[in-house]
Amino acid sequence: MAAEASEFTEVLLLLGAVAVAAPAFKSIGLATVLGYLAAGIAIGPVATLITGSEELLDFGEIGVVLLLFVIGLELKPSRLWSMRRDIFGLGASQVVLTGAVLAALALALTDLEWQVATIVGFTLALSSTAFALQLLEEGGDRNRRYGQTSFSILLFQDLAIVPLLALVPLLSPGTADAEPGGIDDFAIAMLSIAALLASGRYLLNPLFRIIANTGAREAMIAAALFVVLGAAGLMQYAGLSMAMGAFIAGVMLAESSYRHELESSIEPFRGILLAVFFMAVGLSLELGIILENWLTILIAVPLIMLVKALVTYGLCRLFGSSHADSVKVGLLLPQGGEFGFVIFSAAVAEFIFLQSLASLLIAIITVSMAATPLAIGLARFLIREEEDETIDENFEGAGSDVLMIGFSRFGQIASQILLSGGARVTIIDHSANRVRVVEKFGFRIYYGDGRRKDVLEAAGIRQARIVAVCTHGREATDRIVDLIQREFPHVRLFVRSYDRNHTLALRARDVEYEIRETFESGLMFGRKTLEAMGIEEITVSEIVDDVRRRDEERLSIQAAEASGRERVSTPEPLVKPRRESRRLDKVADLPDGLDEPRK
């Protein structure tokens, strides 16, 4: 028998569901979003352990608000302006064309009136910002070409919520007696945006400077939440999207020196509240309606997702995206959006259609959300693998004390020392997969080829105090060193050397510092081995220092002997073995305890 849980028990259930669902679905290769949905369905409609999904949805929406704020922090106004073509061109085209097609299908395949079909079509044209961005974040794809294109479309969809909500009362049967309030609402919206922009420019930075000077971290967290939720509340009052308000606040703080501190303060709240939001979507699913209208949902969900994917794909291609990127955008944005819950509820309140139809449409949106991670899996069958090996060379925010070129194992270890010492490090790497993986941990890493002058310029080489060349291959390293010394002779070069011959070649190029990639680790390995044999630590340190000194002396001699030409040195030990090696192919040669080799 189902029993209504107390609020405390509901919180425990939600936290437990997050702790179980995320790793469980991640371990079998599925998105955590799908896990949260499944957990919500399990503890809500199936087991009826939690009721009141509407309150949870409202609460969980704060997670979407925080997500948009964090994204805004990473988008400076200049970069946002550079995306205007995708936002207002591609985004507007997607909403208008998809909405028109879905409205026409609703008229052709059902007996809905044109007013109802219009609301349904254009509302279903919107996608889920929370779902799409979370999936991009999990895959580390937010800064890739298709991720930026998807974000541009989602951003315009958030803007489109305003005219859609304004359209609802205009299509209401009681519109004839209503007073026109469109101009007033528009004026309030514009004034609210202006107030938010002014606050962001003149008030927020001084506020955070004062709080930072106090050293009270809890005050910084409280101030960050206050700014985000205050901006969201202001936009909601103006009839705009709460997420849009948070996004604008984030953009206003994108150039602030407190950006990283704000992001780290918001991050824990964002993750858990987003999980609550996705579970609330699962909780809101009405199984009775799905069972009663299963055939309608079975037909409608794939049809809507197919139409949205095809229209989005075609428009992306028209606006210059590649086939691979267009496919990925189309498969990322075919679901219905969470704002459909709001618009359909408003339509019911204005007597445009009945609650039963609204419940059916909400069920369709929810099922389409659940199907989105599965749809994304189709990408591997529709595009060639090699088409997915590059990402945008976007160097927004680049420029630091140290410019590191190459971020494989050597560079990763070296960066830890630099960051621990307080150095600001900009990293460029030519591996798209490595960039996608590493950027999720907060490194300032950019995709680019360090052998190109324009890439080095964009990465801030003229502002760098030191350039650390940490590439693995000798040929690539030499090309980078030669380019930098030719085009940027003022730069101090620290270079990873491949072997002894490479070290001599780099010294011939007069780099300021070089080191063989295995030299110090080999010394440390030998040191630890001697210590394990019982030799005193002081003696071992003297031995290691002596080997390092003699190696440096030999390198200096070999470099002098080269006299400007590259020298190929023959490996020669600093300390020769005490006994020459012998073949162990006779019994007499074998040490005690060893068997004769088998023939």
Side-chain angles (χ1 to χ4, degrees):
M1 185 174 76
E4 187 173 343
S6 66
E7 292 182 0
F8 180 74
T9 306
E10 288 182 354
V11 172
L12 287 179
L13 283 171
L14 290 172
L15 293 175
V18 172
V20 172
F25 274 70
K26 197 73 173 177
S27 64
I28 58 177
L30 296 177
T32 57
V33 174
L34 202 56
Y36 298 140
L37 269 178
I41 294 172
I43 63 180
V46 176
T48 62
L49 297 175
I50 295 181
T51 57
S53 58
E54 292 183 4
E55 290 81 2
L56 274 176
L57 269 174
D58 293 338
F59 182 66
E61 191 180 351
I62 299 176
V64 183
V65 169
L66 298 180
L67 174 63
L68 266 293
F69 176 73
V70 171
I71 292 173
L73 284 175
E74 299 175 3
L75 283 175
K76 294 182 179 179
S78 58
R79 182 179 174 191
L80 192 61
W81 177 249
S82 69
M83 297 166 61
R84 64 190 182 279
R85 180 174 178 268
D86 280 346
I87 295 172
F88 297 102
L90 177 57
S93 301
Q94 187 275 335
V95 171
V96 172
L97 187 56
T98 305
V101 172
L102 292 176
L105 284 174
L107 280 173
L109 301 178
T110 67
D111 57 355
L112 298 178
E113 297 179 353
W114 71 269
Q115 296 95 332
V116 179
T118 300
I119 294 294
V120 171
F122 280 88
T123 302
L124 291 177
L126 305 180
S127 303
S128 173
T129 301
F131 259 71
L133 293 182
Q134 180 73 5
L135 291 171
L136 285 174
E137 183 118 359
E138 289 183 7
D141 296 339
R142 212 169 65 198
N143 288 327
R144 299 179 65 196
R145 284 195 193 98
Y146 93 93
Q148 293 177 355
T149 302
S150 302
F151 177 73
S152 299
I153 295 174
L154 290 168
L155 191 56
F156 185 86
Q157 288 181 357
D158 280 348
L159 292 172
I161 294 166
V162 180
L164 281 177
L165 284 173
L167 184 65
V168 171
L170 293 177
L171 296 179
S172 172
T175 303
D177 299 327
E179 295 182 2
I183 297 178
D184 293 341
D185 293 341
F186 180 78
I188 291 174
M190 292 300 100
L191 286 173
S192 298
I193 292 176
L196 185 57
L197 293 176
S199 299
R201 184 173 182 83
Y202 299 109
L203 297 180
L204 294 185
N205 269 312
L207 170 66
F208 287 116
R209 187 182 306 115
I210 294 171
I211 295 174
N213 289 337
T214 66
R217 172 153 178 83
E218 64 276 8
M220 180 66 77
I221 295 174
L225 290 173
F226 174 78
V227 168
V228 178
L229 299 180
L234 179 62
M235 290 298 102
Q236 187 181 41
Y237 169 77
L240 299 172
S241 160
M242 291 177 65
M244 180 57 60
F247 175 74
I248 294 175
V251 172
M252 290 297 98
L253 289 166
E255 295 179 328
S256 169
S257 56
Y258 307 104
R259 177 170 68 92
H260 296 293
E261 178 70 19
L262 291 171
E263 188 171 352
S264 63
S265 299
I266 292 294
E267 189 63 30
F269 301 98
R270 179 190 70 86
I272 191 67
L273 289 173
L274 268 180
V276 170
F277 174 81
F278 296 133
M279 283 194 291
V281 172
L283 283 165
S284 67
L285 193 64
E286 299 186 32
L287 295 182
I289 292 177
I290 291 180
L291 294 175
E292 291 175 10
N293 302 277
W294 67 269
L295 184 58
T296 301
I297 294 174
L298 187 64
I299 296 172
V301 170
L303 180 61
I304 292 169
M305 296 182 72
L306 179 63
V307 168
K308 293 184 70 174
L310 291 176
V311 171
T312 303
Y313 171 84
L315 288 172
C316 287
R317 293 290 282 164
L318 186 64
F319 276 77
S321 295
S322 66
H323 166 69
D325 288 338
S326 300
V327 167
K328 290 193 170 187
V329 175
L331 293 177
L332 181 69
L333 305 178
Q335 76 289 129
E338 55 272 5
F339 291 108
F341 304 159
V342 178
I343 297 174
F344 291 145
S345 298
V348 172
E350 293 289 343
F351 305 104
I352 296 178
F353 48 73
L354 299 175
Q355 179 63 50
S356 58
L357 178 58
S359 298
L360 175 60
L361 291 170
I362 289 173
I364 289 173
I365 290 175
T366 306
V367 174
S368 69
M369 288 180 178
T372 298
L374 305 178
I376 291 175
L378 295 174
R380 69 186 65 157
F381 301 105
L382 299 176
I383 59 177
R384 296 193 303 272
E385 186 68 25
E386 58 268 22
E387 289 188 81
D388 189 33
E389 291 301 318
T390 60
I391 59 180
D392 273 343
E393 290 182 353
N394 184 354
F395 293 93
E396 186 71 32
S400 299
D401 301 326
V402 178
L403 173 61
M404 180 173 287
I405 305 172
F407 203 59
S408 55
R409 291 170 298 174
F410 186 92
Q412 290 167 20
I413 295 171
S415 71
Q416 297 302 296
I417 302 297
L418 297 174
L419 294 172
S420 297
R424 295 168 63 246
V425 183
T426 292
I427 306 161
I428 58 176
D429 196 280
H430 194 45
S431 168
N433 290 330
R434 187 177 295 131
V435 171
R436 286 197 297 270
V437 171
V438 170
E439 68 181 355
K440 292 190 293 185
F441 296 100
F443 286 94
R444 186 181 295 184
I445 186 167
Y446 302 90
Y447 173 77
D449 187 350
R451 295 169 294 187
R452 288 168 42 193
K453 179 183 177 182
D454 60 325
V455 168
L456 296 177
E457 290 268 18
I461 190 171
R462 295 191 184 276
Q463 293 78 44
R465 297 169 59 185
I466 293 176
V467 175
V469 183
C470 301
T471 45
H472 175 66
R474 174 174 177 173
E475 181 181 355
T477 300
D478 288 345
R479 286 182 59 184
I480 293 170
V481 169
D482 291 341
L483 171 64
I484 292 175
Q485 289 187 326
R486 182 175 65 252
E487 301 293 340
F488 312 99
H490 69 284
V491 166
R492 300 175 63 186
L493 273 173
F494 283 46
V495 187
R496 168 191 185 181
S497 167
Y498 180 72
D499 57 16
R500 192 176 193 85
N501 291 326
H502 194 201
T503 290
L504 294 171
L506 290 172
R507 291 193 176 190
R509 288 176 167 85
D510 293 324
V511 301
E512 181 170 338
Y513 178 76
E514 48 68 33
I515 186 170
R516 279 168 283 165
E517 57 189 31
T518 58
F519 182 65
E520 289 295 332
S521 58
L523 290 180
M524 180 58 69
F525 189 89
R527 178 191 187 113
K528 290 298 181 182
T529 305
L530 288 179
E531 290 177 355
M533 294 172 62
I535 300 177
E536 293 184 0
E537 186 175 346
I538 296 178
T539 304
V540 173
S541 295
E542 292 174 351
I543 292 172
V544 172
D545 291 341
D546 181 62
V547 170
R548 185 184 286 110
R549 177 185 56 77
R550 285 195 282 171
D551 180 79
E552 180 59 34
E553 289 176 352
R554 178 170 295 175
L555 277 173
S556 299
I557 293 171
Q558 291 172 335
E561 289 176 349
S563 301
R565 59 182 175 83
E566 182 174 349
R567 173 185 172 87
V568 179
S569 64
T570 302
E572 184 179 346
L574 295 172
V575 180
K576 293 185 178 182
R578 295 180 181 177
R579 187 174 62 180
E580 297 295 332
S581 61
R582 294 181 297 168
R583 291 179 58 190
L584 299 179
D585 56 356
K586 297 181 180 179
V587 176
D589 294 329
L590 294 175
D592 293 340
L594 292 181
D595 295 330
E596 180 179 0
R598 296 179 182 177
K599 297 180 181 180

